Each structure stands twice: as structure tokens, then as C-alpha cells.
Amino acid sequence: MKTENRLALVTGAAGGIGSGIARTLIQSGWDVALNDLNSASVTSLKEELSSGGLTKAGTQIEALSGDVSKEEDVELVFEAINDRFNRVPDLLVNNAGIQTWKPLLELSLQEWERTLATNLTGCFLNTRCFAQHAVKNKQSGVIINIGSGCNKLAFPNLVDYNASKGGIEMLTKSAALELGMHNIRVNCIAPGAIETPRTQGEAGDYQASWSSLTPLRRIGQPSDVAAAVLLLADDSASFISGQTLGVDGGLFAQAIWPENY
Ligand code: NAI
């Protein structure tokens, strides 16, 4: 019987949604490895979470900087987890993501490649490394990819982002197909409009703009996404794999419809 807490790796953990996921996992008794490209932010998040009264005695938190799009960095993160926690993670949350707000006609190859490398290649590299370690140790596991409503719908001026998130939808299904025999479940969460420091800067009034479009008449919080992570990571979800769960207040369930119809 396992006596230690279960261990999660969250990528892009210093950001709005990633830090919300990490906080909820820690509150729920998980040990957490926090990965982010931004070394200073992820280190200060570790300090905040370790001293914030959230942790039960014995909870372990580690900050590990690294670029999800670089194979070498991903391998180093998993090696550091092994050194620090002396075990393989039970849960991987592929959350790191970026976008370039530009029309297709103006998007440079460099911008396209950076977004695809971070969002899609990063998800692949971490998924492969997590699964290789789990299979080698004959350990089951859960992978949760953070997609978007644009897994299935094209958002304007986000061609790079749309393509990467559409890819995540198929990567989720392919990985679920191949890793199921190793008792590794792979699912995706597609958030709607979630309030983070990044998104607040995107629209004049982010809350009003998106809550009026959302059937539940509010925008989401990182804690809403984190609640879905807990749900999919739980053993009660042990027969759920290859799926995408919208956490969007119903936003992307609706068709475009003429006004005053
Ligand atoms: P954010 O910008 O606050 O956080 C992203 C984090 O990823 C940052 O801390 C950043 O340093 C890190 N990061 C960027 N490139 C990296 C790399 N190469 N390696 C490691 N870390 C890297 O963004 P937010 O809003 O928290 O989004 C998190 C995820 O949720 C993203 O995948 C995003 O596409 C997705 N999402 C967010 C929505 C929202 O409304 N906030 C809606 C739908 C999806």
C-alpha cells in the first residue's frame, strides 16, 4: 500500500491556470512538481505555496525550471523529479501554452513554430517521458492535457494556437489508445473564458465581454479548471480515457445563430 501522497507534475505552473491547478492539488493532499520556463516565478510560487498554510505536514513541493519544447529540458525535469521525490509522478498536467494574436497573413514562421513547439511538441515530449517512466516502473498514471474551445472551433487571429490545440485533441486520443494497455489514462480539458492576469489584459472588459456570451453568465476561474483536473485524476474516473471535457459554462456548446431569429 502506498503511504506517501500521490505526485503530480504541472507544466506552465507559474501562470494563472497552472498555479490554480497546483494550489488545488496541494490542498487536496498531492505532492507537486512545478515546472515553468520562468524560473523566478516558479520559485516564488513554490515559496508561496509552501508557506501559505495550504500544505499538510509532509507535503512536498518542488520548483523545476525548464522549457517544455526542448527534449533535453523535459528529460532533466523528470530526472530532477526522480532525485527529489525518488519516484515517478502519478499525474501529468500538460498546461504550458502560448499564442500569437495575429492574422494568418502576418504570422511569421518563427511565431508559428514557437507556438506549435510550446503547445503541441511540449505536450508530446512530456507525455512520452511521463509514459516511459511509468511503463518502466510498471506504474499506472493519468495525463491531463489543457486544450481550449479551439480544439474544435477556429478562433479569429489565432491560427497557430488553433492548430496546436486541434493537435492536442488528436494527441490525447492517440495517446489514450496506445497507453491504455499500460493503465495510463489520457484526457483533455477544454477551458472556456478563464480569468487570469493574461486574459484580463486581452479585452477591454474581459469579464463583461465573455460572461455575456457564456450560458452560465459568468467567466471561469482557475479553480474551475482545477476542479476538473481533480475529477479526471481521481480513481473514480478510472474508465474515462481519450475524452475532452469542456470547462466553459456551456460557451462552446452553442452554435452561431442569427440575432432576432
Ligand atoms: P499564462 O500565460 O498565465 O500561463 C502560461 C504559463 O506557461 C506561464 O507561466 C509561462 O511562463 C509558461 N510557459 C510558456 N512557455 C513555456 C515553455 N516553453 N515551457 C514551460 N513553461 C512555459 O496562461 P493561462 O491563461 O494560465 O493558460 C494556461 C493554459 O490554459 C494554456 O495552455 C492555455 O492555452 C489554456 N487555456 C487558457 C484559457 C484562459 O481563458 N485562460 C482558455 C483556454 C485554454
Side-chain angles (χ1 to χ4, degrees), residues 10-21 35-39 41-42 64-70 73-74 94-99 114 117-119 122 126 145-151 155 161 164-165 168 189-200 202 206 210 220 222 225 247 252:
V10 181
T11 70
I17 291 178
S19 59
I21 292 170
N35 159 253
D36 204 282
L37 186 59
N38 188 328
S39 174
S41 299
V42 80
L64 302 165
S65 62
D67 184 338
V68 292
S69 70
K70 298 211 163 82
D73 281 21
V74 172
N94 279 311
N95 165 76
I98 56 166
Q99 58 287 110
R114 185 168 162 261
T118 304
N119 299 6
N126 277 279
N145 300 324
I146 305 299
S148 159
C150 69
N151 280 23
F155 295 171
Y161 188 71
S164 71
K165 296 292 183 175
I168 284 177
I189 290 172
I194 308 296
E195 188 169 34
T196 67
R198 177 181 65 81
T199 54
Q200 273 174 321
E202 274 175 9
Y206 184 78
W210 284 102
V225 180
V247 179
F252 299 118

